[in-house]
Amino acid sequence: MRHILRSQQFDRPFLDKLFQRAGEHRQRFAKPRRRRSPIYSLQGRILVNLFWEPSTRTRLSFALAGLHIGMKVETTENAEEFSSTVKGGSLEDEIHVVSSYHPDVIVIRHKSEGAAERAAAVSQVPIINAGDGAGEHPTQALTDLCTVLWEKGYLDGLRVAIGGDLAKGRTVHSLVRSLVNCCEDPKFAFVSPPSLHLKEDTKAYLRERGVCFSETESMREALPSADVVYWTRVQLERYPVEERQQYEDLTRQYAIGIKELELMRDDAVLMHPLPRNEEVSPDVDADPRAAYFRQAEYGMYVRMALLEWVLEE
Ligand code: ASP
């Protein structure tokens, strides 16, 4: 079974194949609707979305990805409230039961780190991790790397500035690992206040592999040399209520507006997994380097290709 659980499982040949196929899907959608031939590559196969945490992009892009290639889709969008876990049922029991109804794939988002692995251990069908707490978000990393490829034209030798909540931002943990595993010689500058510094295990991952990185609070230091600027919000929901105000205030200290954009190279790309709060001003949306809405769109093409790979016969 082809589970997608962590970004460490990806390698470059896998990415090359996936992004090639995602590119074909993208091209199809570039045509006007009447000239677009439908694809039935997963005709009649069934996708179940089980989301214990809120989501717009991941949930809907998986659902639409499935529908666009002929799948049927069933979704529980607030499993925390509407699934039997509210009555005390365990994640394992839920997956055991849902997978016994013979869907073809289950996409799961959960608040606990390691949830997708626990699900995979009891599932009869492939599990796709759509975010496990502050752990990982591997399909976002695929989306992010595909965006870099399509926006910049290459994936090797990148200088990447990553800012925001590096402690609890799961997209950061997954992106860093996949850049290290799949791309030649990435260099990282991590921009955050000390209280949001990169999670220790991700730093250890970099050190063990001899990857070059720096940590700074200064955007002025990190932005000018970056090919890719990847910004993230503070994951307020993962902090105790009484600490949230203090973290919210930090957001303003590392916000990207017109002035910060001027620090960036003309050929840099500005990415964000969304949703954004105040860390990227809407004033920069019109700049051609601001790629976050394209990034969200590309996510659907990547997920179409990924579903096809997971369910390849
Ligand atoms: N949508 C992304 C995630 O689910 C990023 C975020 O929520 O800040 O991790």
Side-chain angles (χ1 to χ4, degrees):
M1 266 194 287
R2 291 182 164 175
H3 300 295
I4 304 289
L5 303 178
R6 320 176 74 200
S7 54
Q8 284 98 305
Q9 74 188 83
F10 308 140
D11 60 19
R12 188 58 171 267
F14 168 75
L15 250 56
D16 289 342
K17 190 173 159 211
L18 192 80
F19 297 166
Q20 162 77 29
R21 181 65 178 152
E24 291 165 16
H25 288 308
R26 182 185 172 197
Q27 272 172 15
R28 253 184 79 239
F29 281 94
K31 294 185 190 150
R33 176 175 278 278
R34 65 193 148 74
R35 290 192 36 228
R36 215 185 286 154
S37 46
I39 297 198
Y40 300 113
S41 54
L42 293 182
Q43 175 76 26
R45 311 291 287 275
I46 299 173
L47 180 156
V48 172
N49 259 336
L50 288 179
F51 277 61
W52 274 267
E53 279 196 332
S55 169
T56 303
R57 275 152 296 277
T58 308
R59 177 169 53 83
L60 285 174
S61 66
F62 260 118
L64 272 290
L67 291 170
H68 283 309
I69 51 179
M71 299 184 84
K72 297 177 197 159
V73 178
E74 187 61 48
T75 294
T76 293
E77 60 185 56
N78 183 359
E80 194 63 43
E81 199 179 331
F82 296 122
S83 76
S84 285
T85 28
V86 80
K87 302 187 228 166
S90 71
L91 168 72
E92 281 81 356
D93 286 0
E94 295 288 286
I95 298 295
H96 204 128
V97 170
V98 174
S99 78
S100 75
Y101 296 153
H102 303 287
D104 292 281
V105 58
I106 298 175
V107 179
I108 141 170
R109 169 169 290 186
H110 200 272
K111 58 181 189 283
S112 320
E113 278 183 48
E117 263 127 353
R118 283 165 51 204
V122 295
S123 179
Q124 299 174 31
V125 301
I127 295 289
I128 299 181
N129 180 3
D132 58 331
E136 285 230 32
H137 194 344
T139 71
Q140 179 69 45
L142 293 172
T143 298
D144 296 342
L145 288 183
C146 188
T147 303
V148 174
L149 180 66
W150 289 353
E151 295 284 321
K152 301 264 328 150
Y154 59 91
L155 286 173
D156 296 320
L158 291 164
R159 287 156 300 179
V160 188
I162 304 187
D165 191 345
L166 313 178
K168 300 214 187 277
R170 58 191 171 200
T171 68
V172 172
H173 309 147
S174 287
L175 177 61
V176 168
R177 284 176 169 80
S178 38
L179 271 161
V180 170
N181 284 351
C182 305
C183 309
E184 296 287 327
D185 197 27
K187 292 191 176 53
F188 296 95
F190 295 110
V191 188
S192 74
S195 54
L196 298 176
H197 265 179
L198 188 65
K199 207 173 161 210
E200 252 334 296
D201 64 348
T202 307
K203 274 195 229 175
Y205 195 86
L206 292 173
R207 287 199 195 98
E208 281 156 21
R209 287 158 184 80
V211 178
C212 211
F213 72 92
S214 62
E215 291 179 292
T216 174
E217 283 186 63
S218 156
M219 290 200 273
R220 199 159 276 283
E221 218 173 274
L223 297 191
S225 59
D227 303 304
V228 175
V229 176
Y230 188 91
W231 237 234
T232 62
R233 73 180 172 97
V234 178
Q235 307 283 300
L236 286 177
E237 69 275 28
R238 306 204 190 286
Y239 294 95
V241 181
E242 61 283 6
E243 289 175 23
R244 288 188 190 163
Q245 188 56 50
Q246 137 204 352
Y247 285 112
E248 226 173 333
D249 296 342
L250 287 175
T251 303
R252 279 168 225 117
Q253 282 174 32
Y254 68 91
I256 295 193
I258 298 290
K259 271 214 299 246
E260 290 70 26
L261 210 57
E262 279 164 11
L263 297 172
M264 284 169 45
R265 296 163 59 97
D266 291 342
D267 62 351
V269 58
L270 173 60
M271 294 168 55
H272 192 302
L274 302 177
R276 67 171 150 189
N277 295 331
E278 287 178 60
E279 68 283 353
V280 176
S281 160
D283 297 346
V284 309
D285 291 357
D287 190 284
R289 291 169 289 182
Y292 27 88
F293 292 121
R294 295 191 291 279
Q295 181 184 353
E297 178 189 341
Y298 300 160
M300 187 184 78
Y301 309 134
V302 169
R303 289 178 175 116
M304 290 168 80
L306 187 70
L307 287 169
E308 290 175 325
W309 181 81
V310 167
L311 296 178
E312 197 171 72
E313 304 268 313

